[in-house]
Amino acid sequence: LLTGRRYRIPHVWVYMLVAQAVGVSVAANLFFAAITVSQRPNEKHDIFAWSPSLVYELVPVVLSLLDTVAVPIFAYEKKFMIILLAPHALVFIPCVLRPRSSASKGAATKAQGEQTTKRYALFIYWIAAASVVLQAYITVLMLLDIGPDVSYGEVAQRLLDTVYVHPACSSVSWDVIWCTVSGFAWAAVHGFEARAMLGGR
C-alpha cells in the first residue's frame, strides 16, 4: 500500500477487491504491472514521507497471521467460516488511510522519506520472518498428521492430492503458489532489496 501511494496509483482498494473476486495472485500481478508503468515517485514530495500510525497497518496484518494459525485449529468448528473470512475484511483497513491534506504539509525532506522507507522495509522483513515461522509450524502439523513412516515421495503425492481434493482447495492452493512465484520474481527484479521494492533508491 505504501508503494501504491508513492507511485500515485489511484484506488488501491480496487486491487484488494479483485483479490476477493478472482485471486490474490491476479490482483498482485496487476498491481506490479501498474507500478511498472507508473512514473517513479518524487522523493521530495510529502506523500513519499507520509505514513499512518503503524497500528492501522500492523494490526490487520498481525491479526491475519494469527487467523492463519487458527484455521487448522478451528477447521471443524462452527466459527470456522468467520475465522476464514476475517482476513478478507481486515485487508481493506489500510486501503482507506490517506493524508488529510497532502498539499498543506509542504515538501518532505529526503531524510523523512528515507525514514519512512526504512520503517516499512523493517516491517517487510518482520512479516517475512513471521511467514517462515508460520510455514514451519504448518509443515510440522502436516508431518505429525501423516506420521513418521511416510517417504518424501508419498508426502509430495499427498500434497498434490490435497491441492485437487476440492475445487476450493485447488483455487486457494494455486493462488498461493502463483503468489509465491510472482513475489519472488518481483523481489528478484529489485535485487531482494525491500527499499527498492518500496519505491526508494
Side-chain angles (χ1 to χ4, degrees):
L1 293 174
L2 175 72
T3 308
R5 297 186 193 108
R6 287 183 167 183
Y7 280 86
R8 302 281 185 158
I9 297 174
H11 311 303
V12 179
W13 60 268
V14 171
Y15 296 93
M16 303 302 177
L17 190 60
V18 170
Q20 316 303 315
V22 182
V24 179
S25 57
V26 175
N29 283 291
L30 287 174
F31 185 69
F32 294 154
I35 293 173
T36 302
V37 299
S38 298
Q39 186 176 2
R40 185 170 183 80
N42 181 0
E43 294 188 30
K44 293 184 178 180
H45 198 282
D46 61 291
I47 196 68
F48 195 85
W50 178 79
S51 61
S53 172
L54 197 58
V55 172
Y56 294 111
E57 295 197 328
L58 184 61
V59 168
V61 174
V62 171
L63 289 177
S64 295
L65 289 172
L66 292 175
D67 193 85
T68 304
V69 175
V71 165
I73 298 173
F74 294 94
Y76 300 101
E77 302 291 333
K78 292 182 178 179
K79 297 179 180 179
F80 176 68
M81 189 57 67
I82 296 174
I83 293 171
L84 193 64
L85 294 177
H88 294 267
L90 291 170
V91 74
F92 285 96
I93 295 175
C95 294
V96 299
L97 303 175
R98 63 185 64 195
R100 291 183 180 178
S101 178
S102 179
S104 65
K105 296 183 180 180
T109 66
K110 187 174 181 179
Q112 289 173 322
E114 282 291 319
Q115 188 63 33
T116 301
T117 301
K118 288 179 181 178
R119 174 186 179 184
Y120 278 88
L122 183 62
F123 186 35
I124 288 174
Y125 292 138
W126 275 106
I127 294 301
S131 299
V132 170
V133 171
L134 182 58
Q135 186 61 54
Y137 166 72
I138 293 175
T139 301
V140 168
L141 289 182
M142 178 196 71
L143 294 175
L144 289 175
D145 183 62
I146 64 178
D149 300 325
V150 180
S151 66
Y152 292 120
E154 289 176 305
V155 171
Q157 185 59 51
R158 291 200 184 190
L159 287 173
L160 190 61
D161 292 342
T162 301
V163 169
Y164 292 106
V165 72
H166 188 278
C169 291
S170 181
S171 174
V172 173
S173 298
W174 278 108
D175 206 27
V176 170
I177 292 169
W178 288 123
C179 275
T180 302
V181 172
S182 299
F184 186 85
W186 186 250
V189 166
H190 291 87
F192 296 96
E193 281 286 337
R195 294 161 63 92
M197 293 169 67
L198 292 167
R201 295 187 186 277

